[in-house]
Amino acid sequence: DTAVSQTPKYLVTQMGNDKSIKCEQNLGHDTMYWYKQDSKKFLKIMFSYNNKELIINETVPNRFSPKSPDKAHLNLHINSLELGDSAVYFCASSVPGQGANYGYTFGSGTRLTVV
Amino acid sequence: AQSVTQLGSHVSVSEGALVLLRCNYSSSVPPYLFWYVQYPNQGLQLLLKYTTGATLVKGINGFEAEFKKSETSFHLTKPSAHMSDAAEYFCAVSDRTGFQKLVFGTGTRLLVSP
């Protein structure tokens, strides 16, 4: 009965590869997010979708492409992986415009290591 | 643009001592304020939040925080630290309107010694 689930939990891959991280939430939330946590633990938003529509697109390399097939899923595809992409990627969801009142729910993270 | 400053990347306390983690924000209008905790190799868990009303908010695990508009601060406290409190703590802000993306501080690692 996990609320926000991410797969895989760990991902080790070589430079230049293409990989995807999947996120699913069963909370009925309309808004989903991707956050990146770097090696210094700094968390920064990358993207946000509301009901399959992209609403936040921070300054992120074009190699990162989010896809939301439905409001319960938000996937992150990364092309031509680079060493600097190594990080922990967190998915989160919230009720649109009500994240503060009803809370943001985070997944447990995907630790991506590029070698 | 909103920003959050957490003073001290590391805070060390003894078990039973007072915990004080500092957070100051910058925002053109009072934002919503949050504290999250991250245990090793885990996701983020909401400790407490301030939206409206009483400026002293109580959260889980005995933590509380006070919103001080005049000081633009939202410091996190706990009267008596427990070994299990050792973790990374993040202060965050969001707009009161719109899609309310969270903007995080750089985090403070709390170390608790016996």
Side-chain angles (χ1 to χ4, degrees), chain A residues 52-64:
Chain A
K52 302 191 296 179
E53 179 183 349
L54 182 65
I55 55 172
I56 296 174
N57 186 354
E58 298 291 299
T59 307
V60 177
N62 290 337
R63 299 181 295 101
F64 290 79

Side-chain angles (χ1 to χ4, degrees), chain A residues 7-41:
Chain A
T7 55
K9 190 171 177 63
Y10 299 96
L11 183 54
V12 181
T13 187
Q14 291 187 325
M15 283 176 54
N17 284 350
D18 303 338
K19 290 293 179 185
S20 291
I21 306 171
K22 296 186 176 183
C23 179
E24 176 182 4
Q25 54 95 3
N26 61 5
L27 298 165
H29 290 166
D30 283 348
T31 307
M32 296 184 72
Y33 311 80
W34 278 113
Y35 280 84
K36 178 181 179 181
Q37 186 175 46
D38 63 22
S39 59
K40 296 184 178 180
K41 300 287 188 180

Side-chain angles (χ1 to χ4, degrees), chain A residues 35 37 58 99-101 104, chain B residues 32 38 49 90 100-102:
Chain A
Y35 280 84
Q37 186 175 46
E58 298 291 299
N101 291 326
Y104 303 81
Chain B
Y32 291 143
Q38 184 180 28
K49 61 183 179 182
F90 293 93
Q100 299 177 332
K101 68 177 183 181
L102 282 172

Side-chain angles (χ1 to χ4, degrees), chain B residues 13-18 80-84 111-114:
Chain B
V13 299
S14 299
E15 195 172 18
L18 172 71
S80 176
H82 193 271
M83 295 294 290
S84 60
L111 307 167
V112 183
S113 57

